[in-house]
Amino acid sequence: EAGASVLLLRACLALLASPIYLLSFLGIWEPFCRKIFFPFILEKICVLHDKKSKKHKEELFSNLPDFRGPSGTLRLLEIGTGSGSNFQFYPPGCKVTCTDINPSFQESLAKSMKKNQHLQYERFLVAAGEDLSQVPSGSVDAVVCTLVLCSVHSVSSTLREVLRVLRPGGAFYFLEHVAAEHSSWRYFWQQVCYPTWKLVFAGCCLTRELWKNLEEAKFSELKIQHISMTMPGMPIKPHIIGYGVK
């Protein structure tokens, strides 16, 4: 019953978004989305999400200084830095390496760097979360990833890379939207929106149960909290937040 309704409503939504499907079919949408639409829309969404998540992030990142390396410096790698909305939460003197699969964020990233001069920026790498081969093994004290695991091709490969680049005793910080409770209306709508949402928002998957991937990864200690963040008109209310120690 639910399956048929989901398919029917998916078709209606695809019809509404048919110009985008057509552009995608012609190979025009993806490059446009990557260069122009996604950085633009993500900046808008991030402004709203940052307001909602500020207190959560302040709390999450408050123990970052505890993971400083033997040299007293905190070497931090951020996966999917986007426009750099997490910089404000990092401790002064922190050495940041930024990575993103999409080089089109660099303009807004430069603005964030100017605003957050309490940090030292090491380099910007164009890299996918699944392939951080430009980063040596065991070379960072902390890895941060917010609203990124929804759109990587492989969550488990990304977490393997995270564990590789972290030094033993280093920490991985995350804040991600996840699938809603299966019996809920919210999950029903996540399933309806799934294909169109994924196309419009550069591969973002609405129904990933990321806490399961994190539990399966080889962290020696894992703290996960399930929280709700209401984003008006968006099917991404359930989130997980926390950190894992290598």
Side-chain angles (χ1 to χ4, degrees), residues 6-183:
V6 166
L7 290 176
L8 180 67
L9 288 164
R10 268 185 184 178
C12 297
L13 197 55
L15 202 61
L16 287 173
S18 54
I20 293 177
Y21 279 91
L22 178 65
L23 290 173
S24 174
F25 177 72
L26 297 172
I28 297 166
W29 174 252
E30 274 75 7
F32 168 76
C33 179
R34 197 173 55 242
K35 283 203 176 77
I36 296 160
F37 176 78
F38 191 59
F40 170 79
I41 202 80
L42 197 70
E43 215 174 320
K44 303 284 173 271
I45 292 173
C46 275
V47 169
L48 178 62
H49 196 276
D50 288 347
K51 277 190 190 129
K52 303 268 180 190
S53 63
K54 191 168 191 216
K55 279 201 173 64
H56 294 294
K57 283 185 179 178
E58 278 169 356
E59 201 176 307
L60 174 67
F61 294 128
S62 62
N63 68 343
L64 261 175
D66 300 350
F67 292 100
R68 275 195 285 248
S71 65
T73 311
L74 181 74
R75 296 159 308 169
L76 185 146
L77 170 84
E78 183 163 358
I79 297 175
T81 312
S83 53
S85 61
N86 291 326
F87 292 165
Q88 54 182 311
F89 304 105
Y90 299 160
C94 171
K95 288 189 168 172
V96 183
T97 298
C98 305
T99 72
D100 207 294
I101 197 165
N102 188 346
S104 306
F105 282 109
Q106 280 176 300
E107 197 180 312
S108 48
L109 189 60
K111 275 187 216 156
S112 289
M113 286 175 169
K114 263 209 186 82
K115 250 190 235 155
N116 293 280
Q117 306 231 330
H118 64 292
L119 306 176
Q120 293 174 36
Y121 300 100
E122 299 281 88
R123 51 188 184 147
F124 178 85
L125 306 172
V126 177
E130 298 91 332
D131 178 16
L132 301 169
S133 55
Q134 302 171 71
V135 183
S137 300
S139 67
V140 296
D141 305 303
V143 175
V144 172
C145 183
T146 59
L147 303 185
V148 172
L149 293 178
C150 56
S151 55
V152 296
H153 288 300
S154 163
V155 178
S156 52
S157 307
T158 302
L159 293 176
R160 262 199 303 278
E161 277 292 78
V162 165
L163 283 161
R164 181 186 66 76
V165 301
L166 276 174
R167 63 162 175 82
F172 170 58
Y173 289 80
F174 54 86
L175 168 64
E176 299 285 345
H177 67 84
V178 291
E181 191 62 50
H182 280 208
S183 57

